[in-house]
Amino acid sequence: MLNVSRPSLGIEEELALRDCIKEGWVSYRGPKVSEFERKFAAYIGTDYAVACSSGTSALHLALLALGIGPGDEVIVPALTFIATANAVSYTGAKPVFVDSHINYWCMDPGDLESKITSKTCAIIPVHLYGHPCDMDQILSIARSYNLKIVEDCAESLGAEISLGKCGNLGDVGCFSFFANKIITCGEGGMCTTNDKTLADNMRIYGDHGTPGRPYGHDRIGYNYRLTSLQAAVGLAQLNKISDFLARRSLIRSWYDTYLPKGLVSMPEEPWAKSVNWIYTCLLNWGTDVEKVRSLLLKEGIETRPVFETLTNMPPYKSDEKFPMAFNYKVRGLSLPTYLDLTELDIIYICGSLKEALR
Ligand SMILES: *Cc1c(COP(=O)(O)O)cnc(C)c1O
């Protein structure tokens, strides 16, 4: 079976775990978590990084540290994984949805300004499928309305624009280390920031609200800690990131070469450096994506539909229309994207897709 995604784990991760077990570093205590934070911050280019238990808890911690809560509104894309909106809901604030751009999946800055009200406190640009948002425009809108920016970088570790790496462009960057992300440690997350107060508060919120002495709790916090076992695996993965990204770029170029004619290949704007998270193309209008998916599955090729528009599901149901998000949702097809794939695999996948479309 050619899966949509597979983690790339090797002897380095195995040895790192063995060290933790030998030395007894299994919880968040010990040197591994802070080493992971230090190296991660250095890679993104921020002054601080705070490790946590998942991408979702990273988003929640960022919003808590920014003081977002009941009565506030936070703008999120209509097309994203549901965790982006859920993190807003956890704080008691209300997610407000914005449509995707016509050329690529991320939020359309042109649709953003009309969603701002007197209650809007923050925007969460999601660098979807590895492609950066148009941060030049989003930052300039945020500045003129005095809004905070929390970047959802769960799918885009290593992506960049001329201003810098994703995760170093707003107030906080939030990363995920789930099994299918750019690097993984099973489950895990990271918040990046250049603001010491935000970093301190994210750490306190994620560790039971404990700013200093043990059991001196100053607020209701959470247990969002990362373990040393996860940090050790994360460190081993981070060491290999440039190879990982080079391989993803090669896989992307093979797909671009062999994709059946007439389909829309994975976008990459001239100002953006994508990390090609999961190769996602657009089929023609009217194609039955589910039929194509089941035909490909018979050939041993697992695929995935694009995220459901959040306002089409019970938690965020509304009649508001998001034509571009709808377009991507209806036509999008995500193809296998993991590092062990060979050029022959991609030729096979694209050939099978061509057959299925016939
Ligand atoms: C994966 C993902 C998350 C959540 O990360 P977890 O580690 O699974 O909690 C959030 N946002 C986006 C866009 C994601 O793809």
Side-chain angles (χ1 to χ4, degrees), residues 2-8 129 179-182 244 247-252 255 266 275-280 302-303 333-341 346 349:
L2 297 166
N3 301 104
V4 168
S5 172
R6 280 187 205 169
S8 285
Y129 292 104
N180 67 7
K181 302 297 162 87
I182 303 289
F244 283 9
R247 186 76 191 172
R248 281 183 180 276
S249 159
L250 188 60
I251 290 168
R252 181 220 167 89
Y255 271 125
M266 181 137 122
V275 287
N276 309 297
W277 178 52
I278 291 185
Y279 192 92
T280 301
E302 186 192 36
T303 58
L333 179 70
S334 295
L335 299 169
T337 311
Y338 54 89
L339 307 188
D340 293 340
L341 286 168
I346 308 299
I349 292 164

Side-chain angles (χ1 to χ4, degrees), residues 292-312:
V292 170
R293 291 188 61 224
S294 74
L295 289 170
L296 288 173
L297 195 60
K298 284 195 195 121
E299 304 302 315
I301 301 165
E302 186 192 36
T303 58
R304 236 178 51 177
V306 162
F307 296 117
E308 183 59 72
T309 311
L310 295 184
T311 50
N312 274 342

Side-chain angles (χ1 to χ4, degrees), residues 54-56 59 80-81 83-84 126 128 152 154-155 176 178 181 188:
S54 69
T56 309
L59 289 163
T80 177
F81 182 54
T84 315
V126 181
L128 211 62
D152 183 338
E155 302 174 1
S176 164
F178 181 62
K181 302 297 162 87

Side-chain angles (χ1 to χ4, degrees), residues 2-165:
L2 297 166
N3 301 104
V4 168
S5 172
R6 280 187 205 169
S8 285
L9 300 164
I11 188 72
E12 299 84 357
E13 288 79 3
E14 213 176 308
L15 292 174
L17 279 174
R18 218 191 284 180
D19 280 350
C20 288
I21 287 166
K22 266 202 237 153
E23 292 160 21
W25 295 124
V26 291
S27 77
Y28 78 108
R29 286 180 188 273
K32 288 293 176 196
V33 174
S34 40
E35 188 186 347
F36 188 30
E37 290 175 339
R38 240 182 0 259
K39 294 200 168 144
F40 198 89
Y43 178 72
I44 299 299
T46 52
D47 293 338
Y48 308 97
V50 177
C52 59
S53 56
S54 69
T56 309
S57 57
L59 289 163
H60 190 194
L61 289 175
L63 297 169
L64 287 168
L66 287 167
I68 286 159
D72 296 336
E73 290 180 358
V74 177
I75 299 178
V76 304
L79 187 76
T80 177
F81 182 54
I82 195 165
T84 315
N86 285 350
V88 175
S89 302
Y90 297 164
T91 68
K94 182 180 163 221
V96 171
F97 299 98
V98 58
D99 204 2
S100 300
H101 193 272
I102 190 166
N103 293 345
Y104 58 103
W105 314 280
C106 302
M107 64 168 54
D108 179 3
D111 191 37
L112 188 57
E113 215 159 345
S114 68
K115 302 298 166 88
I116 297 173
T117 72
S118 59
K119 293 178 178 170
T120 310
C121 291
I123 307 169
I124 310 185
V126 181
H127 309 299
L128 211 62
Y129 292 104
H131 192 291
C133 294
D134 184 346
M135 293 305 290
D136 287 306
Q137 283 204 59
I138 294 170
L139 284 166
S140 103
I141 293 169
R143 268 193 290 271
S144 53
Y145 291 88
N146 198 22
L147 307 177
K148 302 295 182 188
I149 298 269
V150 174
E151 297 175 78
D152 183 338
C153 310
E155 302 174 1
S156 59
L157 172 58
E160 54 188 302
I161 58 175
S162 61
L163 279 176
K165 275 208 176 69

Side-chain angles (χ1 to χ4, degrees), residues 281-357:
C281 62
L282 298 184
L283 307 182
N284 292 319
W285 274 108
T287 306
D288 182 346
V289 176
E290 285 310 309
K291 182 81 190 295
V292 170
R293 291 188 61 224
S294 74
L295 289 170
L296 288 173
L297 195 60
K298 284 195 195 121
E299 304 302 315
I301 301 165
E302 186 192 36
T303 58
R304 236 178 51 177
V306 162
F307 296 117
E308 183 59 72
T309 311
L310 295 184
T311 50
N312 274 342
M313 295 185 284
Y316 299 109
K317 193 83 191 156
S318 96
D319 293 331
E320 205 183 341
K321 293 282 174 279
F322 299 95
M324 285 321 299
F326 179 74
N327 168 58
Y328 294 129
K329 193 269 151 315
V330 170
R331 297 171 55 199
L333 179 70
S334 295
L335 299 169
T337 311
Y338 54 89
L339 307 188
D340 293 340
L341 286 168
T342 64
E343 188 169 8
L344 281 178
D345 291 330
I346 308 299
I347 291 172
Y348 172 70
I349 292 164
C350 291
S352 305
L353 177 56
K354 194 173 170 189
E355 273 303 301
L357 289 170

